[in-house]
Amino acid sequence: MSQSRWPPVVIREMVTGIFDVDGGSPFWAAVDQYRDAGYAVGWAVRMARRHGDPTSRRRVFLVAILPECIVDGKDASDFFSFEGTSLRSVTVESCLDGEPGEGLEYHDSAEWLPARDTTDWDGPRLVGTIGIGGMGWSVYDAKGPAVTMKTWGQGPGGATALYRDSRGRVRRLSPWEAMKTHSFPDDFISYLRDTARISWEEAYRLCGNSIPILTLRGVVEHLVTSVIKPQVMAEVSAAARSHREARELAASEREEAARRQRA
């Protein structure tokens, strides 16, 4: 296939555990395949809280760009911006509803840990454990970031772990609160909860499989504003607009044909 018909930009997101599989060979094989196909390839591990998402989730991003689409003077070493430090203003507590939903609050005893200095720590802040410990039996400070969300979990913390809020209540997150730690827009959360009416199980699974939105936006914005040639972006926008208009026209024609059949 002609290289001109290949996507100008490819962005792939993976869990950091990919480096634990056979020494990371699946990841490096993917890098080699993109390079063999003529792409310039860069990769980086991003921590979500450093981009404004109230979660400590870390993800691997691989970016492959055709060289003719890259701004002159730039190369794969420029594909990612400097990450900086975590934003301490984004916390689990900023995502909590006023009152815990039914079944979310934990009332039994926990083994509390001595207070620790978290001045230079930007990860989850463990404050207590329950029984055997582990994510579903761990309590974290809601003034820090959320632990990495899972698609399912065990223990009173389930897929989100437990958090102690400023009023001393210990509770796990509802799926809607969990989605806020990943920066899902409020209107989208409302749609899933009130219109689509997906179950909590489905919502937890959706969130656990998601990419923190502000983190992904940071990766894309940097590429669009600093790495990819403006004319390439204009061509992509025109192609996307043409594709959208074609789909809308096709949908309109199907509706008109259906209307005629009913008449």
Side-chain angles (χ1 to χ4, degrees):
M1 182 172 63
S2 171
Q3 189 183 75
S4 62
R5 297 185 61 188
W6 293 359
V9 181
V10 177
I11 301 175
R12 296 182 63 178
E13 179 264 0
M14 294 153 277
V15 299
T16 55
I18 193 165
F19 293 121
D20 298 327
V21 178
D22 195 18
S25 60
F27 178 83
W28 302 119
V31 170
D32 288 341
Q33 285 185 345
Y34 282 116
R35 286 175 174 162
D36 290 344
Y39 285 93
V41 182
W43 66 276
V45 176
R46 307 272 92 175
M47 178 184 278
R49 194 185 186 205
R50 296 175 182 172
H51 302 271
D53 300 298
T55 173
S56 59
R57 171 166 273 177
R58 297 169 70 245
R59 285 296 183 266
V60 183
F61 286 89
L62 183 153
V63 173
I65 306 178
L66 293 176
E68 61 268 26
C69 299
I70 301 173
V71 171
D72 292 343
K74 302 278 188 177
D75 57 31
S77 65
D78 301 301
F79 285 4
F80 293 90
S81 61
F82 177 69
E83 193 169 45
T85 56
S86 293
L87 302 174
R88 296 188 176 278
S89 60
V90 280
T91 64
V92 170
E93 195 144 71
S94 69
C95 304
L96 299 180
D97 296 330
E99 294 294 329
E102 183 178 355
L104 293 178
E105 194 167 359
Y106 178 77
H107 297 284
D108 293 336
S109 61
E111 181 178 348
W112 301 109
L113 303 175
R116 291 174 291 178
D117 181 11
T118 59
T119 303
D120 297 321
W121 175 248
D122 61 4
R125 305 171 183 180
L126 182 67
V127 295
T129 59
I130 300 166
I132 63 174
M135 178 175 158
W137 290 268
S138 296
V139 184
Y140 296 87
D141 187 351
K143 293 183 176 63
V147 296
T148 298
M149 173 80 186
K150 294 185 177 181
T151 57
W152 66 278
Q154 298 176 325
T160 71
L162 294 165
Y163 297 90
R164 185 174 65 186
D165 65 19
S166 58
R167 292 172 56 182
R169 296 176 301 189
V170 176
R171 36 85 61 87
R172 63 184 171 92
L173 305 182
S174 73
W176 323 119
E177 293 169 329
M179 286 181 180
K180 291 179 183 178
T181 69
H182 286 58
S183 304
F184 278 69
D186 289 340
D187 57 351
F188 182 67
I189 294 174
S190 296
Y191 168 78
L192 293 177
R193 182 185 60 221
D194 305 327
T195 304
R197 295 183 180 276
I198 66 173
S199 68
W200 277 34
E201 181 182 359
E202 292 172 317
Y204 280 129
R205 188 164 59 249
L206 173 64
C207 187
N209 282 324
S210 70
I211 305 173
I213 290 175
L214 296 183
T215 304
L216 177 59
R217 187 175 76 178
V219 171
V220 173
E221 282 186 346
H222 175 71
L223 295 173
V224 168
T225 59
S226 302
V227 178
I228 303 171
K229 290 179 178 178
Q231 56 268 39
V232 174
M233 292 307 307
E235 292 173 2
V236 170
S237 296
R241 184 168 56 253
S242 176
H243 179 67
R244 182 174 63 253
E245 291 171 351
R247 290 184 62 184
E248 291 172 351
L249 177 60
S252 177
E253 290 175 345
R254 287 195 299 270
E255 290 177 2
E256 177 62 19
R259 185 188 65 80
R260 289 177 178 178
Q261 287 182 344
R262 290 192 299 268

